[in-house]
Amino acid sequence: MKIGILSSGGDCPGINATIRGVGKTAIMHYNMEVIGIHSGFSGILKKDIQVLDERSLSGILNLGGTILGTSREKAFRKLLISGDGEHSSAIKRQYHHMGLDCIVCIGGNGTQKTAHILSELGLNIVGVPKTIDNDVWGTDITFGFDTAVNIATEAIDRLHSTASSHKRVMVVEVMGHHAGWIALYAGMAGGADVILLPELGYDLNRINTDIVNRSRRGKPYSIVVVAEGVKTVDKKRPADFFTQAIEQATGLETRETVLGYTQRGGNPSPFDRNLATRLGGHATELIARGEFGCMVCIKGDRVDAIPLSEVAGKLRTVTPGHDLVIQGKRMGISFG
Ligand code: F6P
């Protein structure tokens, strides 16, 4: 068999470990040919490809980013579903021209949606979930999340020094446009006092009261962790909005830090390397068994597969009943 691999959407620690897991298993265990498709889905159209062999798959396990490059898939998906069908015919033509038996699509929600469309067109597709945001439907966890939580937690730990020395409120904005997984996990692990998630909403007066009450209890500083997707009345960046609003209302000196892209750059954690390796290996196993149109996923401690039709268009978000939210609230942490 001859398989293609592409990565699409934002880069994320562990993509290269996945490419290596898929590729090495394909070559060494199943005797398959492997090609890498560059820059996401657009690489299929442009036939921008390279042969992946043992040598090119070496030394990339701990490497951040993606050796194949990536691109956002929205524009590609729009063309794909546009009425004239020209785009989809071109994709099918290139797929057959390259002699492919399957394409492994490594990506987040948007990628899995596009992967599903390609699968409906009749191409053999296997999806691998990837995102630091941890919000892909159908899997308990995505690689990249653990690394991002480690980075954000270390940043929060460091901000404690300035917060306590200067008696300031420190507002830290972390990634997570639709889901607050990073804010929840890094906020709890970093001992934040206020954690704000897009899923839970907030009451500004309550946040201010919680911070003032802490100060009255002899804790003159607070750490506020906010996910970038938390809505603000004037559509300001959450970090800007909460910093100004808290300082104005409480009179406490307040500073902001936006962690941004540092959260998804650099080496994957050991946990993410192993998760990516397992998912990659199992993706290849699915191909060898001729099981297409699905995404590999984690269920408990098992690797499983779920149809792309069930994943496409859905998001996995934090619920108010999540154990970390419940335990946090019981310990006096404010969730807004
Ligand atoms: O990778 C997911 C994510 O980090 C989101 O949390 C964030 O909103 C988005 O990517 C931003 O990425 P880009 O600027 O590359 O579109």
Side-chain angles (χ1 to χ4, degrees):
M1 289 178 102
K2 186 175 180 184
I3 67 171
I5 310 175
L6 63 81
S7 50
S8 174
D11 68 327
C12 165
I15 299 179
N16 287 324
T18 310
I19 295 169
R20 174 179 174 272
V22 172
K24 283 200 169 183
T25 311
I27 295 166
M28 304 184 72
H29 189 69
Y30 292 108
N31 210 16
M32 296 172 180
E33 277 179 70
V34 185
I35 63 158
I37 299 166
H38 291 166
S39 308
F41 291 100
S42 62
I44 309 175
L45 272 180
K46 295 182 189 143
K47 238 179 111 191
D48 184 3
I49 55 175
Q50 72 174 98
V51 172
L52 293 177
D53 55 17
E54 252 193 277
R55 183 184 281 208
S56 50
L57 292 167
S58 274
I60 62 169
L61 173 63
N62 62 351
L63 203 64
T66 162
I67 57 163
L68 298 177
T70 186
S71 60
R72 289 282 175 199
E73 65 293 312
K74 217 172 187 170
F76 177 89
R77 192 167 59 239
K78 265 193 183 155
L79 281 172
L80 204 59
I81 53 181
S82 71
D84 63 8
E86 194 187 309
H87 215 62
S88 34
S89 308
I91 291 283
K92 283 201 262 188
R93 220 173 21 248
Q94 292 295 45
Y95 175 87
H96 293 299
H97 199 242
M98 289 187 270
L100 291 177
D101 295 298
C102 177
I103 300 178
V104 177
C105 301
I106 307 168
N109 288 300
T111 301
Q112 303 310 329
K113 206 168 168 181
T114 305
H116 178 236
I117 297 171
L118 292 186
S119 166
E120 294 279 274
L121 283 177
L123 308 193
N124 293 337
I125 301 289
V126 169
V128 181
K130 159 243 75 163
T131 168
I132 64 163
D133 291 348
N134 200 30
D135 60 358
V136 177
W137 178 266
T139 185
D140 290 355
I141 189 161
T142 54
F143 65 79
F145 175 61
D146 181 70
T147 308
V149 168
N150 280 321
I151 295 167
T153 304
E154 196 200 322
I156 296 166
D157 285 348
R158 288 177 186 279
L159 290 169
H160 269 280
S161 313
T162 307
S164 64
S165 305
H166 287 262
K167 301 182 177 56
R168 283 178 182 162
V169 178
M170 302 297 273
V171 177
V172 196
E173 184 184 304
V174 299
M175 275 189 169
H177 228 96
H178 307 287
W181 292 107
I182 297 176
L184 176 63
Y185 273 68
M188 288 298 285
D193 308 296
V194 180
I195 300 174
L196 304 172
L197 315 177
E199 295 92 332
L200 302 187
Y202 62 90
D203 172 347
L204 194 53
N205 290 331
R206 194 157 70 199
I207 296 170
N208 291 328
T209 308
D210 289 340
I211 290 172
V212 169
N213 285 345
R214 246 181 77 77
S215 165
R216 288 197 183 126
R217 290 199 308 273
K219 301 275 183 96
Y221 70 91
S222 287
I223 303 278
V224 179
V225 174
V226 56
E228 67 173 328
V230 169
K231 299 271 178 295
T232 59
V233 273
D234 50 6
K235 292 195 174 142
K236 261 190 192 153
R237 276 207 87 103
D240 290 341
F241 172 77
F242 287 104
T243 302
Q244 283 172 21
I246 291 168
E247 186 164 80
Q248 207 170 39
T250 63
L252 296 166
E253 199 175 29
T254 307
R255 293 282 192 275
E256 69 186 76
T257 304
V258 178
L259 297 185
Y261 296 98
T262 58
Q263 292 160 99
R264 66 182 211 207
N267 299 353
S269 66
F271 178 88
D272 279 337
R273 292 177 204 185
N274 290 335
L275 179 59
T277 298
R278 288 177 73 201
L279 289 171
H282 279 269
T284 311
E285 192 185 324
L286 285 178
I287 298 169
R289 287 209 306 256
E291 286 179 35
F292 304 114
C294 53
M295 181 188 83
V296 283
C297 60
I298 297 289
K299 291 280 169 221
D301 56 5
R302 247 173 11 96
V303 181
D304 207 340
I306 177 170
L308 282 167
S309 56
E310 278 181 38
V311 176
K314 292 186 197 146
L315 268 182
R316 184 176 160 273
T317 51
V318 179
T319 59
H322 189 285
D323 195 42
L324 265 182
V325 176
I326 292 172
Q327 300 311 322
K329 281 185 176 171
R330 287 181 183 169
M331 293 163 64
I333 294 163
S334 171
F335 281 84

